[in-house]
Amino acid sequence: MFQHDISLEQAYSFSRLDETCLLSTVTAHPFELEGDTWATAEHYYQAKKFVKPQDIEEITKSESGVDAYKLGNRWWKRGRAKDWKQKRRVMMTRALYTKVMAFEEVKEALLDTGDDKIVETSMYDPYWGIGRDQRGENMMGQIWMDIRAKVRADIRIKAHGISA
């Protein structure tokens, strides 16, 4: 039997698809990455799943981050990049790090989490979230905590006048 994880009760919790949470992937914070402008981190992430230009364009032009999520997660959709599972964490990290560096309010929201564990609360996605049984990988939370550590390290370097 698994034991209840008390650290989840004290964690900073959010949903990836919450349009009001600055740490979600669907907030309207456009950024430039790889020569294109992306309306949200979710637009970038979902577009990178596919290889067919028409699929990429459909996702890129979608109205919102939630729409991009829905388009990229159609179960019947063909044409995904063959190595997507190996690349997905890198793609999400790129999108979220770029979002943080482009928007001071997102950086502040991330730093305001202090040393709290960051948890994506999806009950249905045990990779990005904690899953229904709270034993998911919480990869979204892990990425945010890694970015937070990087941002803090950059702040310390700047404060001490050390060039990177």
Side-chain angles (χ1 to χ4, degrees):
M1 204 73 184
F2 86 98
Q3 294 182 344
H4 180 69
D5 184 353
I6 194 91
S7 72
L8 295 178
E9 291 178 18
Q10 299 161 346
Y12 174 86
S13 301
F14 74 102
S15 169
R16 171 182 180 180
L17 301 178
D18 178 353
E19 293 176 301
T20 66
C21 176
L22 292 174
L23 298 189
S24 83
T25 59
V26 297
T27 60
H29 288 90
F31 57 87
E32 289 187 29
L33 184 58
E34 298 178 14
D36 290 307
T37 299
W38 304 95
T40 69
E42 198 65 44
H43 280 83
Y44 172 83
Y45 176 80
Q46 295 299 335
K48 291 298 174 180
K49 280 184 180 179
F50 297 96
V51 295
K52 293 180 187 171
Q54 65 267 28
D55 293 333
I56 295 166
E57 182 177 355
E58 181 183 22
I59 291 167
T60 302
K61 290 183 175 183
S62 61
E63 291 270 327
S64 70
V66 172
D67 290 340
Y69 173 85
K70 289 175 183 176
L71 287 170
N73 284 292
R74 293 179 185 160
W75 64 269
W76 49 266
K77 196 88 163 151
R78 301 278 186 246
R80 286 194 181 186
K82 300 234 183 289
D83 58 348
W84 179 246
K85 283 202 171 196
Q86 291 75 33
K87 294 176 14 179
R88 62 185 171 170
R89 180 181 175 150
V90 170
M91 295 298 128
M92 186 62 79
T93 302
R94 283 182 187 168
L96 296 178
Y97 181 76
T98 304
K99 176 181 172 177
V100 164
M101 299 314 290
F103 294 94
E104 192 63 31
E105 69 269 21
V106 177
K107 184 187 292 185
E108 288 175 18
L110 178 59
L111 293 174
D112 285 348
T113 63
D115 292 326
D116 291 350
K117 181 176 189 175
I118 300 175
V119 175
E120 201 285 329
T121 57
S122 174
M123 291 178 56
Y124 303 104
D125 191 335
Y127 178 74
W128 292 115
I130 58 173
R132 185 178 311 245
D133 63 4
Q134 299 183 345
R135 293 187 287 176
E137 293 183 57
N138 187 37
M139 197 56 62
M140 183 75 61
Q142 296 296 324
I143 289 170
W144 276 122
M145 289 183 286
D146 291 347
I147 293 170
R148 181 176 64 193
K150 168 85 170 107
V151 168
R152 285 179 176 165
D154 290 348
I155 290 169
R156 281 192 299 275
I157 288 170
K158 283 183 183 176
H160 289 78
I162 303 168
S163 61

